[in-house]
Amino acid sequence: MRVTFTDIKPEIGSLVHVDKAHLLDDEVIEQVRQALETRGVLVFPQIDVSDEEQLAFTDRLGTRTNFTKKAPGSDVSAADVYKITLDKKINTEPDYVLGTFFWHIDGLLMDIPLPKATVLSARRLSDEGGSTEFANLYAAYEHLSDQEKRELEGLRVIHTIEAAVRPVFGSTPPGRAERYREMAPPMEHPLVWTHADGRKSLLLGTHADGVVGQASPHGRSLLWRLNQWAAQPAFTYKHDWQVGDLVIWDNEGLMHRVVPYTDEGRVMHRTSIGGTMKPGHPATEAAMAKMLEPVY
Ligand code: OGA
Ligand code: MN
């Protein structure tokens, strides 16, 4: 066997053992693709890839995408490799990185096909914090009761960058609103997303700001309750990194966040695999009207 997979938890995660020399073999790539669908997160312990090797792996699994190319402050020294770090010498404006402390789905705020998978490798670690958590949103849907599933069917959710930065800044800093809007318009997505293969998952995250047709406390409380449900231990995996680890996750069916850290030494290198599915579209003012109405 060129590659072996070991389950980490029943609902999420596999460890993958493969000799780096065989990482790009057809057979390995095919099995990694399949495991990504069924296991959500794949961990390649201390495989120690270079940027070139990470990009080659990314390209073999799909079509690379770089949705943060326009993110301010991002370093463009290695094209298509985004550096996740609080080091201001590498990333001069790490708003986006501080946003990773909160549950999110990569690229869901952009009007692009949802990135299919994210590849992250650990280059330097923080002294404290910095583990990454993943929640399986297929499992979160599947384990709802039939009645809950019926209640959620057909609901539409507004995702905004304002909601994503609210816990980071309190409110959007003056002068940044326009830039944010340009990068990420308010998006309307289904709450329950039916994928091309018929499987269903929830689309959640801190960016989920309200439910179409519901007043803000009603919509938001539903979203917060679901977020809490989805983040329960049975559906989640927390990865404690070692330098050289590479982790890939199914960004269409999982949300993720990092345990907060302050250490400017932590550096992760990220590449992304483009998707073909667009679960939603930019939100119209009419769709947002009820959630923006004053409540009293
Ligand atoms: C990301 C991200 C988490 C981490 O790269 O999109 O959320 O652990 N990173 O740095
Ligand atoms: Mn992310």
Side-chain angles (χ1 to χ4, degrees):
M1 285 294 275
R2 291 246 189 269
V3 55
T4 57
F5 295 85
T6 314
D7 288 2
I8 298 174
K9 291 174 80 170
E11 296 285 355
I12 185 167
S14 288
L15 284 172
V16 187
H17 289 284
V18 58
D19 187 335
K20 194 162 75 172
H22 293 295
L23 188 60
L24 304 183
D25 289 6
D26 287 347
E27 174 199 339
V28 173
I29 291 294
E30 191 45 42
Q31 290 194 46
V32 165
R33 272 212 195 102
Q34 284 175 18
L36 195 58
E37 299 276 320
T38 55
R39 304 299 307 153
V41 189
L42 305 178
V43 176
F44 297 72
Q46 293 176 284
I47 191 161
D48 271 319
V49 288
S50 63
D51 283 349
E52 292 66 33
E53 287 167 338
Q54 182 167 336
L55 282 166
F57 183 52
T58 304
D59 289 342
R60 284 287 277 119
L61 288 167
T63 308
R64 77 168 82 159
T65 180
N66 184 349
F67 61 90
T68 41
K69 214 173 229 158
K70 285 193 279 179
S74 75
D75 167 47
V76 290
S77 60
D80 298 330
V81 178
Y82 183 70
K83 294 179 183 137
I84 306 282
T85 183
L86 296 176
D87 183 344
K88 294 191 194 64
K89 291 193 293 300
I90 300 177
N91 188 335
T92 54
E93 207 175 277
D95 320 10
Y96 178 83
V97 177
L98 295 168
T100 64
F101 294 3
F102 304 91
W103 288 115
H104 65 282
I105 296 174
D106 289 338
L108 194 70
L109 282 174
M110 292 175 177
D111 186 19
I112 54 169
L114 190 63
K116 183 174 173 49
T118 307
V119 185
L120 200 61
S121 60
R123 305 309 173 96
R124 279 189 282 139
L125 303 181
S126 49
D127 283 341
E128 280 172 49
S131 299
T132 310
E133 296 177 296
F134 302 92
N136 185 336
L137 299 174
Y138 293 109
Y141 176 76
E142 277 156 23
H143 289 276
L144 292 168
S145 69
D146 288 342
Q147 190 188 329
E148 285 169 317
K149 286 180 183 164
R150 276 194 300 275
E151 285 167 6
L152 301 186
E153 201 62 50
L155 292 184
R156 313 278 302 172
V157 176
I158 307 293
H159 296 256
T160 67
I161 195 152
E162 284 80 6
V165 302
R166 211 170 279 141
V168 178
F169 294 117
S171 58
T172 307
R176 290 202 189 164
E178 292 242 316
R179 202 188 323 144
Y180 282 160
R181 284 274 157 142
E182 212 174 281
M183 230 168 47
M187 293 293 291
E188 178 189 323
H189 292 297
L191 176 55
V192 179
W193 182 26
T194 307
H195 298 241
D197 63 1
R199 284 205 297 166
K200 292 181 178 188
S201 68
L202 299 173
L203 285 172
L204 291 172
T206 310
H207 33 66
D209 203 11
V211 176
V212 174
Q214 295 192 16
S216 120
H218 295 76
R220 276 192 191 147
S221 57
L222 172 67
L223 295 168
W224 287 29
R225 295 168 83 92
L226 286 172
N227 216 83
Q228 216 161 4
W229 162 260
Q232 65 177 281
F235 308 150
T236 57
Y237 166 63
K238 179 163 96 175
H239 186 63
D240 298 322
W241 295 91
Q242 309 248 40
V243 169
D245 286 356
L246 179 142
V247 171
I248 174 166
W249 67 91
D250 170 0
N251 186 61
E252 294 175 327
L254 269 64
M255 61 179 179
H256 60 285
R257 68 176 178 189
V258 61
V259 175
Y261 55 94
T262 52
D263 195 331
E264 297 190 5
R266 185 181 191 266
V267 181
M268 314 294 279
H269 284 197
R270 186 182 72 185
T271 53
S272 299
I273 299 169
T276 55
M277 309 295 292
K278 266 190 169 186
H281 49 74
T284 61
E285 278 181 27
M288 293 172 51
K290 184 77 183 169
M291 120 188 174
L292 296 175
E293 255 172 35
V295 281
Y296 61 89

